[in-house]
Amino acid sequence: MVSTVGEVRARDGTPLRTRAWAPAGEAWASVLLVHGLGEHSGRYERVGERLAAAGLDVRAYDQRGFGASGGRRAHVDRWDEFGVDLADRLAALRSERPDLPVVLYGHSLGGLIVLDAVTRDVVRPDLLVLSAPALGDTFPRWLRSGARLLSGVLPRVAVADRLPPDALSHDPAVAGEVAADPLNQTSATIRLGAEAFAAQAALADRLATLAHLPCPTYVLHGGEDRIVPAAATNVLERFHEVTRVVYPGLRHECHNEPEGEAVVDAIVDWLRDSAAALPSDQSKIASGERTSAESVASPQTRGT
């Protein structure tokens, strides 16, 4: 069940690579996947195939500056550019399948982009899946302060991410695939770094004041994540809408670990139960996205 690729234009004309996995049988929900830093939607073939095999209509896109999409590599002038693209892709998915609940699924930087947009009411999914969302990171403090200071004068200078190649998964083949993939990025511009760090800080302040999240949310994290420490998502446990699962021993990309199929199956189980619990008119109520300018190691689970 290999994906079908296409292309759309963002509001500012930037071409965006799109990807779709057709559901096996009648779809019971739609999913929009949002990838992380340095990668692209093509790295989600296994995830997309497994979700589609479970009856989900799955879509993804390469974010601007990444993969086969246009734009300066690993760069944005403003953080809201990600949110505008996300809102438009989610609105397009809703218009195609208005009868289905819509799921936003963000990994790492994609998880930060998604949660930021959801908590600012830029997008309104029915269900939310966050895979190691980048609410925190292991970048040194000097890099944060340096990005902030230099963003205004050297915004387009690229800085290597310095991420260890084995930090994604225990499977050595994953690191090999990443190294051999010409669409993967190993650096990001100073402006993108500064914008992402500022978004993390703003989201942390917002989460501290929110009484609840707008929709049921599933958070998964590897206990041995060296890129986004599992402790970074502890803050989400206080929300009753959140089910948080930490997999001891797994790394940043739980879906690409040897146990990845079972990890994705657990997401499907949660989505099936949560979609069944939605009001029958939920997708209609939530429509109309807006923009500001859509056998595993025993996990530790908390939530409803």
Side-chain angles (χ1 to χ4, degrees), residues 106-115 129-137 200 203 217-221 225 227-230 232-233 236 244 252:
H107 172 70
S108 197
L109 178 68
L112 174 63
I113 291 167
V114 164
L115 186 57
V129 175
L130 302 172
S131 168
L135 307 190
D137 54 65
Q200 285 178 331
L203 180 58
T217 300
Y218 185 85
V219 180
L220 65 144
H221 219 136
D225 193 334
I227 297 174
V228 178
T233 53
L236 298 176
R244 179 171 178 260
H252 186 57

Side-chain angles (χ1 to χ4, degrees), residues 40-60:
H40 57 94
S41 63
R43 293 199 65 234
Y44 289 79
E45 285 290 355
R46 289 186 289 268
V47 175
E49 289 175 6
R50 198 151 189 92
L51 293 175
L56 292 157
D57 184 0
V58 185
R59 313 295 176 90

Side-chain angles (χ1 to χ4, degrees), residues 25 32 45 62 65 74 94 104 112 127 131-132 150 159 164 166 187 189 220 245 250 259 269 273 275-276 292 295 303:
L32 181 62
E45 285 290 355
D62 291 2
R94 277 208 190 278
L104 265 182
L112 174 63
L127 299 170
S131 168
L150 295 175
V159 178
D166 64 345
S187 62
T189 65
L220 65 144
V245 181
L250 300 195
E259 303 89 347
D269 289 343
D273 291 344
S292 56
S295 172

Side-chain angles (χ1 to χ4, degrees), residues 37-38 55 69 111 114 157 213 241 249 259 264 303:
L37 180 67
S69 288
V114 164
V157 171
L213 294 184
E241 297 87 2
E259 303 89 347
V264 176

Side-chain angles (χ1 to χ4, degrees), residues 3-302:
S3 63
T4 301
V5 299
E7 182 179 292
V8 298
R9 293 277 171 174
R11 293 189 196 185
D12 63 359
T14 301
L16 301 178
R17 165 64 56 86
T18 61
R19 198 173 296 272
W21 292 264
E26 184 176 356
W28 48 273
S30 297
V31 178
L32 181 62
L33 285 168
V34 185
H35 68 76
L37 180 67
E39 57 171 357
H40 57 94
S41 63
R43 293 199 65 234
Y44 289 79
E45 285 290 355
R46 289 186 289 268
V47 175
E49 289 175 6
R50 198 151 189 92
L51 293 175
L56 292 157
D57 184 0
V58 185
R59 313 295 176 90
Y61 64 101
D62 291 2
Q63 300 197 71
R64 60 176 57 232
F66 295 99
S69 288
R72 183 174 290 273
R73 297 296 84 189
H75 174 80
V76 288
D77 290 319
R78 302 180 316 280
W79 179 257
D80 278 351
E81 293 174 15
F82 287 136
V84 170
D85 293 342
L86 172 63
D88 287 347
R89 301 313 329 131
L90 189 60
L93 182 53
R94 277 208 190 278
S95 68
E96 288 184 41
R97 301 302 303 262
D99 56 319
L100 298 180
V102 173
V103 181
L104 265 182
Y105 182 144
H107 172 70
S108 197
L109 178 68
L112 174 63
I113 291 167
V114 164
L115 186 57
D116 172 71
V118 167
T119 56
R120 290 191 294 118
D121 201 27
V122 172
V123 293
R124 303 175 187 174
D126 301 306
L127 299 170
L128 184 59
V129 175
L130 302 172
S131 168
L135 307 190
D137 54 65
T138 56
F139 292 119
R141 297 183 66 177
W142 66 261
L143 186 60
R144 290 174 170 271
S145 58
R148 183 176 65 253
L149 292 172
L150 295 175
S151 177
V153 292
L154 298 170
R156 296 185 173 187
V157 171
V159 178
D161 58 32
R162 304 177 189 274
L163 298 177
D166 64 345
L168 301 180
S169 169
H170 286 85
D171 184 351
V174 172
E177 290 170 0
V178 170
D181 188 342
L183 292 180
N184 281 323
Q185 295 289 127
T186 58
S187 62
T189 65
I190 290 174
R191 173 62 57 79
L192 175 55
E195 292 289 297
F197 293 145
Q200 285 178 331
L203 180 58
D205 290 343
R206 200 177 310 124
L207 290 173
T209 62
L210 286 177
H212 60 84
L213 294 184
C215 61
T217 300
Y218 185 85
V219 180
L220 65 144
H221 219 136
E224 288 187 5
D225 193 334
R226 289 180 280 155
I227 297 174
V228 178
T233 53
N234 286 348
V235 64
L236 298 176
E237 288 201 340
R238 75 177 184 84
F239 297 103
H240 75 270
E241 297 87 2
V242 170
T243 297
R244 179 171 178 260
V245 181
V246 177
Y247 290 98
L250 300 195
R251 295 179 181 169
H252 186 57
E253 295 181 347
C254 293
H255 53 276
N256 280 331
E257 288 278 25
E259 303 89 347
E261 289 188 354
V263 169
V264 176
D265 287 347
I267 295 171
V268 170
D269 289 343
W270 181 87
L271 287 175
R272 199 184 300 275
D273 291 344
S274 299
L278 291 172
S280 59
D281 59 350
Q282 180 74 31
S283 61
K284 294 185 176 63
I285 292 172
S287 63
E289 272 64 39
R290 300 179 293 181
T291 70
S292 56
E294 236 191 355
S295 172
V296 166
S298 298
Q300 299 167 355
T301 307
R302 182 268 182 201

